[in-house]
């Protein structure tokens, strides 16, 4: 079931909504006073932004319908908008600060994830769902 959820076109909408929910959680948790400082003891801002927005890019890419180019452009634009909104919100919080450099890390992480997916996604899906499709035929 998890493999289907992650790769089947049937669940694209669910994956897209999952990305939006995860983004909302990033915003909410990141805006809790002291939460970012506590997490910062274990991972730098660059690491957190890279992993967080890279994962969002992956889920957005997999949750978008259409050609690989359309998925890539959409995921990149969404991450750019999400990162900008995150930094904008942070600029109003006295215990946080918005930074263009963090936004650039978000976009770079998304590009690092999306670029290979643009070329490899059909093969990844075929490899993941192939055994499931074979089992269903029997």
């Amino acid at each position: 079931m998890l493999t289907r959820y992650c790769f089947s076109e049937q669940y694209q909408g669910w994956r897209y909504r999952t990305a939006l929910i995860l983004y909302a959680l990033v915003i909410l948790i990141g805006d809790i006073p002291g939460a970012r400082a506590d997490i910062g003891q274990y991972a730098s801002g660059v690491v957190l932004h890279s992993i967080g927005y890279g994962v969002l890019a992956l889920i957005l890419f997999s949750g978008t319908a259409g050609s690989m180019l359309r998925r890539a452009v959409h995921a990149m634009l969404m991450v750019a908008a999400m990162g900008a909104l995150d930094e904008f919100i942070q600029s109003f919080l006295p215990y946080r600060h918005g930074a263009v450099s963090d936004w650039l890390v978000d976009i770079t992480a998304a590009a690092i994830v999306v670029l290979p997916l643009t070329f490899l996604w059909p093969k990844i899906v075929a490899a993941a769902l192939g055994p499931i499709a074979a089992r269903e035929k029997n």
Side-chain angles (χ1 to χ4, degrees), residues 50-95:
S50 297
I51 292 171
Y53 284 92
V55 168
L56 283 174
L58 167 66
I59 300 170
L60 288 166
F61 184 93
S62 74
T64 301
S67 70
M68 296 304 111
L69 179 60
R70 181 184 185 286
R71 291 170 178 234
V73 170
H74 184 81
M76 289 298 301
L77 290 174
M78 284 296 293
V79 166
M82 290 171 156
L85 180 59
D86 184 13
E87 297 307 316
F88 180 72
I89 291 168
Q90 288 177 22
S91 71
F92 291 103
L93 302 173
Y95 48 89

Side-chain angles (χ1 to χ4, degrees), residues 58 61 66-73 110-126:
L58 167 66
F61 184 93
S67 70
M68 296 304 111
L69 179 60
R70 181 184 185 286
R71 291 170 178 234
V73 170
I112 289 169
V113 169
V114 166
L115 184 63
L117 285 177
T118 303
F119 300 100
L120 299 174
W121 186 251
K123 292 177 185 176
I124 293 169
V125 170

